[in-house]
Amino acid sequence: MDSAVASTSPEQLRAALATHLSETGWIRTPAARAAFRTVPRHLFVPATVALAAAYADDVVITERDPGGRATSSVSAPWLQAHMLEQAALRPGARVLEIGSGGYNAALIAEVVGPDGTVVTVDIDADVVDRARTGLDRAGYRQVTVVHGDGEYGYQPRAPYDAIIVTVEAADLPPAWLAQLAPAGVLIVPLRIRNMTRCLTLRRHEDHLRATTALQCGFVPMRGDGCTPTRRLALRGDDVVLFLDDTTTEVNPDALASALRSVRLEAWSPATITMQEGSAFESLHLWLASQSRPFGVLAVDRERTVGLLDPQDRFVCPTLLIADSFAYLAVRRLDDTTWQFGAHGFGPAAHTLTADMLDLITVWDREHRHGPGPKITVHPTGTHSPVPDRPHLLVTRRHATVCIAWPDAGEPR
Ligand SMILES: C[S@@+](CC[C@H](N)C(=O)[O-])C[C@H]1O[C@@H](n2cnc3c(N)ncnc32)[C@H](O)[C@@H]1O
């Protein structure tokens, strides 16, 4: 992106962004490339954002709640490009976007052309106003901007060839499936045990099959589809354990006092190099896929120096029981190589760290270089058989998510 920073005009910055997204593999088709070269992103970010920042391959936060948490943003271009490519839109396609901002809707409008239909729905009136203003200024008056709860889609323009959800969902509301055309595609950042994966879902018999699952982050859904995670503050906001279910029984006081016990470290023979960073995406989902109590840890690294050193400071996979926990750790072996391991706390630290190492061993041997799990989503009330040997079933109100890792050597 050096060329983008050195450039000055919006046109040059746009061209540099489109080139960057093509070179990094996020843009793959001429239609998506043309859309990124055309839509003026700077008209959809607050006026205080510098032009170079408006065209950086990064998210721009546009709204925050009183606690400072982001509630709206213009998403990162690489992620928008991924979703656009996965939607495989043709001219004339009908598209519903859940979660607005204007920019992504304009990209979609470019791809579907004058015969297409683009509807974008947001729950926040300020976002709706900003999206409408940006779309009008940029020349996309044909995009319909709706103020409403995306949980219910937008029936008046259904059916849709694609529904692109740009907010983190924990469930698949019935309206999305009812409004999706039979051969339509649903692209949704779905939270599965606090791991958010952007799924590309298509119908198969009476359920949906994911053809891609990409690690990503979005602001969580508000409104009727809001499904909060449990937040256990183990040492104020410095150490927080998140649980994405209502059934795991934990004793927050016991877990907090476990933190005051001596840290047990255990190390695996498995290692990783800096070039393989994306392997963590697979390992995290593997650890989350086990049918056992699981959470993710978020820590303030500076305020927990010497106490905790999790592999990931925002979403670190953590095994737990009522009074003990163990998180994924790595330690440096040399300039390029890191070793996997676990740090455990509490009376069952030994067992939990040993379990973590066993899971890492299986992942390293059978799944690390494999095709990844089959992910299917089964609407509540359907009777389709879930795949053999599911590792995990996440049951929400409207749907059950099934994750099945293949046996070693088995095709996906
Ligand atoms: C990441 S932003 C959308 C980004 C946007 N699509 C863009 O052009 O980059 C997520 C949006 O989802 C909205 N949102 C949250 N819950 C919602 C709901 N239930 N229905 C519709 N929109 C919702 C938020 O207000 C926020 O504006």
Side-chain angles (χ1 to χ4, degrees):
M1 287 297 287
D2 289 346
S3 56
V5 174
S7 304
T8 49
S9 77
E11 292 74 18
Q12 287 171 308
L13 292 167
R14 270 203 294 286
L17 176 61
T19 301
H20 163 76
L21 293 172
S22 298
E23 287 173 355
T24 47
W26 296 111
I27 286 181
R28 294 198 303 270
T29 58
R33 192 171 307 117
F36 276 92
R37 289 184 74 101
T38 306
V39 180
R41 195 169 193 256
H42 63 286
L43 296 185
F44 296 93
V45 300
T48 49
V49 174
L51 208 51
Y55 287 99
D57 190 7
D58 204 357
V59 63
V60 176
I61 306 294
T62 50
E63 315 255 337
R64 291 185 187 273
D65 68 13
R69 283 174 292 267
T71 57
S72 189
S73 62
V74 178
S75 304
W78 65 267
L79 188 47
Q80 293 173 316
H82 170 76
M83 292 175 127
L84 201 57
E85 293 288 17
Q86 287 304 316
L89 301 171
R90 293 175 186 281
R94 310 174 63 80
V95 185
L96 172 65
E97 182 193 43
I98 308 289
S100 308
Y103 178 65
N104 196 45
L107 292 173
I108 297 167
E110 279 293 332
V111 175
V112 302
D115 296 331
T117 298
V118 184
V119 179
T120 180
V121 181
D122 204 285
I123 201 166
D124 185 324
D126 291 341
V127 176
V128 168
D129 286 349
R130 192 165 38 75
R132 181 72 275 160
T133 303
L135 286 163
D136 289 350
R137 284 178 66 202
Y140 298 94
R141 286 178 201 284
Q142 76 274 29
V143 174
T144 302
V145 186
V146 177
H147 181 210
D149 188 339
E151 170 86 358
Y152 304 104
Y154 188 66
Q155 178 59 37
R157 297 285 173 86
Y160 301 101
D161 301 306
I163 298 181
I164 302 178
V165 182
T166 64
V167 59
E168 176 200 275
D171 200 353
L172 285 198
W176 296 354
L177 297 185
Q179 295 172 22
L180 188 67
V185 59
L186 172 59
I187 299 182
V188 55
L190 197 66
R191 197 182 76 224
I192 305 166
R193 285 193 138 185
N194 279 310
M195 302 283 160
T196 306
R197 295 290 182 269
C198 182
L199 302 182
T200 303
L201 294 168
R202 293 183 188 277
R203 289 184 211 272
H204 179 81
E205 297 168 355
D206 62 358
H207 60 280
L208 298 109
R209 275 186 179 173
T211 50
T212 62
L214 179 74
Q215 182 176 26
C216 65
F218 275 92
V219 299
M221 197 151 160
R222 291 181 268 167
D224 291 349
C226 173
T227 310
T229 54
R230 269 191 289 168
R231 183 182 192 279
L232 308 183
L234 302 187
R235 205 182 80 162
D237 288 341
D238 297 351
V239 184
V240 179
L241 184 63
F242 291 95
L243 301 177
D244 197 4
D245 65 63
T246 50
T247 49
T248 300
E249 286 182 21
V250 285
N251 179 339
D253 292 337
L255 289 174
S257 63
L259 204 50
R260 293 190 284 276
S261 66
V262 176
R263 176 168 104 191
L264 181 74
E265 298 193 4
W267 298 100
S268 160
T271 60
I272 186 166
T273 61
M274 296 307 275
Q275 288 73 40
E276 300 173 280
S278 60
F280 284 114
E281 189 171 337
S282 161
L283 176 57
H284 282 199
L285 193 58
W286 165 249
L287 294 173
S289 298
Q290 310 306 315
S291 291
R292 55 182 297 161
F294 177 86
V296 300
L297 202 67
V299 306
D300 182 322
R301 276 214 197 279
E302 285 173 12
R303 294 162 67 102
T304 54
V305 173
L307 175 67
L308 298 171
D309 192 11
Q311 176 266 318
D312 186 308
R313 59 167 286 219
F314 298 114
V315 280
C316 194
T318 303
L319 305 180
L320 60 135
I321 60 168
D323 60 0
S324 308
F325 65 96
Y327 61 74
L328 178 68
V330 286
R331 72 176 172 186
R332 195 175 197 135
L333 291 183
D334 57 39
D335 281 354
T336 55
T337 313
W338 299 71
Q339 182 178 21
F340 291 107
H343 292 173
F345 298 83
H350 187 78
T351 307
L352 292 175
T353 51
D355 288 355
M356 179 77 86
L357 262 47
D358 286 348
L359 288 169
I360 292 169
T361 300
V362 176
W363 169 79
D364 187 46
R365 192 180 59 220
E366 296 181 11
H367 304 302
R368 180 175 189 159
H369 305 291
K374 285 179 188 163
I375 303 179
T376 51
V377 185
H378 304 255
T380 303
T382 56
H383 301 289
S384 59
V386 296
D388 291 342
R389 304 181 304 277
H391 277 87
L392 180 73
L393 294 175
V394 176
T395 302
R396 305 286 196 188
R397 190 165 149 229
H398 300 302
T400 296
V401 182
C402 174
I403 302 189
W405 290 78
D407 285 342
E410 184 188 325
R412 183 166 179 250

